[in-house]
Amino acid sequence: MTVVAATVIAYQNEIPYFLVEDVKGKDEFLAVNVHQHHEETSLGMILKSFAALGVKDFDSWRLGELATIKLPGEEQAPLYSFHVTDFAKVEKDLPKTLSFKSGDELRDLLMTIQPSTFTSFDE
């Protein structure tokens, strides 16, 4: 079993906001388990998880970058990022445990990203 993580990035007044999950009072990227013996892809499981949480429309979502993050316990996991233009609509569809926060609010969490692993999915 592999763990993968994801965030959604949106800009308001040129400030990036990241979708995070409140896990026991701490902000974390959404993390899901991928059971490779079930022939699940990590990207597919991320999208399936967002759909299960309430996202009904992925038309405006754009896959941004793939990086690696360091999870508690020294484990590393892929981090997918998606870009959206209307984060208020996305936030409205999701449970209250998921919310958008600015980079300033997430300084420690953003420090878990391993920047040398960025892969861009440019069109």
Side-chain angles (χ1 to χ4, degrees), residues 22-76:
D22 182 335
V23 178
K24 297 179 183 176
K26 188 175 177 187
D27 293 320
E28 300 287 346
F29 294 118
L30 177 69
V32 299
N33 295 321
V34 177
H35 303 280
Q36 294 179 337
H37 59 278
H38 291 154
E39 297 182 13
E40 299 169 334
T41 66
S42 55
L43 179 57
M45 285 307 299
I46 290 291
L47 294 174
K48 185 176 179 180
S49 295
F50 277 121
L53 290 169
V55 176
K56 298 167 185 64
D57 180 10
F58 290 99
D59 288 345
S60 67
W61 288 45
R62 297 295 176 257
L63 189 55
E65 293 84 30
L66 174 63
T68 303
I69 60 167
K70 193 175 217 178
L71 296 174
E74 305 301 316
E75 180 183 356
Q76 289 190 340

Side-chain angles (χ1 to χ4, degrees), residues 58-114:
F58 290 99
D59 288 345
S60 67
W61 288 45
R62 297 295 176 257
L63 189 55
E65 293 84 30
L66 174 63
T68 303
I69 60 167
K70 193 175 217 178
L71 296 174
E74 305 301 316
E75 180 183 356
Q76 289 190 340
L79 173 69
Y80 287 92
S81 67
F82 299 88
H83 297 265
V84 296
T85 53
D86 185 0
F87 73 86
K89 179 183 182 305
V90 174
E91 195 170 39
K92 181 181 158 206
D93 291 341
L94 295 171
K96 298 297 180 214
T97 56
L98 290 165
S99 62
F100 283 91
K101 295 192 175 182
S102 72
D104 288 344
E105 296 173 281
L106 302 172
R107 183 181 177 280
D108 291 340
L109 180 61
L110 294 176
M111 296 293 287
T112 66
I113 296 174
Q114 308 295 309

